[in-house]
Structure formats: structure tokens, C-alpha cells
Amino acid sequence: MPIAPERDALKPPAPKLPLSGLLALFTAAFTAVTTELLPGGLLPLMSASLQVSQGHIGFLVTGYAAASFLSAIPLTAALRGLPRRTVLVGALTGFALCNTVTALSSSYALTFGARLLAGAMGGTLWAMLAGYAARMVPAERRGRAIAIVLAGITVALCLGIPAGTALAEVLGWRAAFAAPAVLAVVLVAWVVRKVPDFPGEAAADRVPLRRIAALPSIPAVLLITLLLLLGHQTMYTYMSPLAERAGLADATLVLFVFGISTVAGIWTVGVLVDRHLRPTLLTALALIAAAMLAIGLFGRAPAALLIATAAWGAAFGGAPTVLQTALVDFSGPAHADVATSMQATVYNIGIAGGSFTGGIVLERTVVGDLPWTALPLIAAALAATGAARRIGHRTARIKSGPESARSQPSPLLHLCAVGLTSEHDGPPR
């Protein structure tokens, strides 16, 4: 008798990931995060040059984030009908221009204005990236594709911010903003050559934003995102004074430790996210809470600060991938731009609120109060994840008929999400 072929030999080979296109989106994420958070590593230099306090330089992060959360939903809604690559190239061109203005500016007001415009570009970009990656691959590889793209966040934290800080020490802070401006120009050419284009949504096919916001698990994911970013950014924006409190010369080493630790986080999440989403998120939030507690208790000791920062970075590194994968799972790739525009809104509300809160703490009390401000917010995110039992379980996507409204979230979470959407979307189809 002939020998039967092995079962695995009968399976078609898994399709290859479109790495060149995904890495272009990865670089877009890198550019956006570097642009957004770079002032946090340059507080003393920018403060002296622009003749404002370090808290005011921290507000450059706040302004960027505020512009992102105010623009993400309306710009995404306005641009839904345009080809996706056209919108992506436009956002990257905007980053190049805004970073150039920041690098040349000698006025705090002009710098702040450029940061607001850059924030609008960021809000548009973050609404696209996860959905773009999801549309480039089969459903069973969606989580990994999103992990590759959002690893740009990790590498920005690991290399972009520390490298920008180190470059500023040698060539001045303006050079640190010129670098991502040049990178954005190069990236435009890369995207045009290697990233596939997708059509925009026809007007007749557009699902109103409030219907997407009301899907059962989306409000819970948005709430967890908000709490996580509020707590995280209260600390991360002000790593320089935290490092000084521990007796370190500057924040470069602490930022590098945080960034390099996120590599472990993003690698772990890339392996686990498609099968163990909820346990991965719970573990990450618990580890961040423990790191905040350790910094609060022992953060004056350099070794303790670095160890806690490493744990924090490893846990935080994969969080955006977990949260965006959950959103894409529940909305489906066709509506992922809208769902992630809502997350970009709450994400940047968290960044703006956290950097503003940290700045107020720094201006009015002492730097040692920062971890005690952040810890309750992370604990609340952990509690919200524990209560959101649906997260991690893929459900049916939006349907075209009224039956899609059968499952409704709790009134509080529903209000959180619907409050972020336009009041002019029209009734559900």
C-alpha cells in the first residue's frame, strides 16, 4: 500500500507576511511616537532655549496629544472616502513639515502651534495603522501583523527617544527634531513604492460612528486605554526629574532601559496575542502597577528605579498591540479605521491628561508624588479589564441590518464611547 502523506504535508503553506509594507507602517508608527514624546527627553535643553519652565515644555506633549484626540474622529470621518495610501502620505508629509518648523522655531508660541498641527497628523495616522495592517494579511495572522506595525512604538521608546535625547546633547535639541523630519520625507517614498493602496469607503457603505462605538466590547477597551495612558504618561513625560531624583545625570539611561525592555514586551505579545489576549493584558497591567509601586517606595535608589523601569517597559511595550487587536477583532477590518480613531482619541486624551497632570504635580508638589498619582489609574485599568469578560473573545462583526444592535454595553461604558462620537452620523442603517 502506498504510504499516506502526513497530515501537515496536506496543509497549504501559510501565506508570507508582506514585510516590506508592514515595515513601512512600522516606521510610520516609529516616526509618530518619536515626534510626540521627544520633548519629554529634552526638557532641560528646550526649557533653557525657549525660556520657559520644564513644565511648559511638558505641555508640548499635552498640546500634541490634545490636538490628536480632538482631530482623530472628525478627520477620520471626513477622510473615509479617500484612498487609504493618499491619506497616509498626507499625514507623513505633515509630520515632515511640522518637525521642520519645530526644529527652526525660537518662539514657544510657534513651537506650540507646530505641535498642535503635528498632533492632528498623529490623530489621523493612528486611526489608520492597525486597520491598514489587518487588511494586508489573512485573519489568522492579523494579530501578528498589527504587532509588527505597532512595534514601531516599542522601537521609538527603545531607540528613537533615547537617540533623540543623546543627539540633542551633542548637536542641540533642534537636530533631534530635524531627524524625524528627514525620516518622514524618506518614508513617503517608501510608502508609495511598497504599501498597497486600499479604496476609501463609499458613502452608501459607511456605518455611523455611534453604531461602531456601541459594539459590546469596544467601550470597555476604550476605557481601559484611557486609564492606562493617564497613568503611564503622568510618569513617562517626566522621566528627567525622576532620574535626577535618583542621582542620575540625565534621563538617557532610564529612557533606554524603558525602551529596550519594551522589545521583550512586544515580542511576547506577538506570540500570545492571537490566542491569549485577555490574560496577556491582565498580566501587563498588574506588572505596570507593581512598577509604579516600586518607584514610589524605592525610586530614589538608581538600581531600584532602573529595575522598576525595565518591568514597566516590558509590560507597557505590548499593550497597544493587545488593545488595538481587540478593537479590530470586534469591529472587523472594514471598520477598523473608525474604531481605532476612537482609540486614538482616548489614547491621546490619556497622554494629554497624564502629561498635564504630571506637570501640575511637578509644578506644585514634588517629583516623588508622580508614581502615587499614576498608581491608582493603572489599578483602575486593571480592575476594568478584570470586569470586561468579553475582551479576548472574538465576536460577530457589524452587520448591515438592525440586528447588529442586539447586544449593548453597560450604560456607563456606552456613554463613554458615544460621547466621543459625532452627533451627526445619522441613524443606524
Side-chain angles (χ1 to χ4, degrees):
M1 292 179 63
I3 298 175
E6 293 183 5
R7 184 181 302 272
D8 290 344
L10 298 176
K11 293 182 180 179
K16 292 182 179 180
L17 289 172
L19 281 178
S20 184
L22 291 174
L23 288 175
L25 300 182
F26 158 96
T27 308
F30 172 91
T31 303
V33 172
T34 300
T35 297
E36 181 164 9
L37 300 180
L38 192 55
L42 308 177
L43 293 178
L45 294 173
M46 294 186 72
S47 173
S49 177
L50 298 177
Q51 299 182 337
V52 295
S53 70
Q54 291 191 29
H56 278 73
I57 299 301
F59 294 154
L60 294 177
V61 179
T62 305
Y64 179 110
S68 290
F69 77 67
L70 290 172
S71 65
I73 290 175
L75 283 179
T76 298
L79 300 173
R80 287 171 82 179
L82 295 180
R84 297 294 82 195
R85 189 167 61 192
T86 300
V87 178
L88 179 59
V89 167
L92 293 171
T93 302
F95 273 124
L97 294 174
C98 293
N99 279 324
T100 299
V101 171
T102 302
L104 297 175
S105 173
S106 59
S107 161
Y108 180 79
L110 178 59
T111 302
F112 196 87
R115 295 287 296 173
L116 293 179
L117 291 175
M121 300 300 106
T124 303
L125 186 69
W126 287 119
M128 299 181 65
L129 289 181
Y132 218 128
R135 294 172 76 173
M136 290 169 64
V137 299
E140 65 271 15
R141 310 201 76 182
R142 186 184 299 156
R144 183 159 296 185
I146 293 173
I148 290 171
V149 172
L150 297 188
I153 299 172
T154 298
V155 176
L157 297 173
C158 175
L159 295 177
I161 307 301
T165 303
L167 181 64
E169 294 290 340
V170 176
L171 298 179
W173 66 267
R174 298 179 189 281
F177 281 98
V182 172
L183 179 59
V185 173
V186 173
L187 185 54
V188 167
W190 186 359
V191 166
V192 170
R193 286 177 60 86
K194 295 297 184 179
V195 174
D197 199 4
F198 295 107
E201 291 184 71
D205 296 332
R206 295 176 196 170
V207 176
L209 301 186
R210 63 166 58 88
R211 263 187 55 197
I212 298 173
L215 286 171
S217 293
I218 286 181
V221 175
L222 297 179
L223 179 61
I224 294 162
T225 302
L226 175 62
L227 292 168
L228 171 61
L229 266 295
L230 282 169
H232 167 79
Q233 205 65 31
T234 294
M235 292 279 287
Y236 187 80
T237 307
Y238 302 98
M239 294 299 276
S240 289
L242 284 166
E244 292 174 5
R245 174 176 177 256
L248 299 173
D250 56 54
T252 302
L253 178 59
V254 181
L255 289 171
F256 179 75
V257 168
F258 181 93
I260 200 70
S261 299
T262 62
V263 174
I266 196 68
W267 182 87
T268 302
V269 163
V271 172
L272 298 176
V273 65
D274 284 317
R275 295 185 179 182
H276 307 289
L277 191 150
R278 189 167 180 271
T280 301
L281 182 57
L282 286 167
T283 302
L285 292 172
L287 191 54
I288 295 172
M292 297 298 104
L293 179 62
I295 293 173
L297 294 174
F298 311 113
R300 288 185 178 275
L305 176 62
L306 293 173
I307 292 170
T309 299
W312 171 19
F316 186 79
T321 295
V322 177
L323 292 167
Q324 291 214 344
T325 299
L327 281 182
V328 174
D329 280 346
F330 289 115
S331 66
H335 305 293
D337 285 4
V338 174
T340 53
S341 75
M342 297 173 193
Q343 191 188 42
T345 296
V346 298
Y347 200 97
N348 284 288
I349 289 174
I351 291 176
S355 59
F356 181 80
T357 300
I360 295 298
V361 170
L362 197 61
E363 294 275 326
R364 296 187 178 180
T365 62
V366 295
V367 66
D369 287 340
L370 289 174
W372 302 115
T373 305
L375 179 59
L377 295 164
I378 302 300
L382 180 60
T385 304
R389 298 288 181 181
R390 290 177 180 266
I391 291 178
H393 300 281
R394 291 177 176 173
T395 61
R397 311 291 188 239
I398 283 184
K399 299 179 181 178
S400 59
E403 68 273 11
S404 63
R406 287 176 186 169
S407 295
Q408 295 295 331
S410 70
L412 176 60
L413 294 180
H414 176 75
L415 183 61
C416 290
V418 173
L420 295 171
T421 61
S422 170
E423 291 298 322
H424 305 287
D425 293 330
R429 296 185 190 90

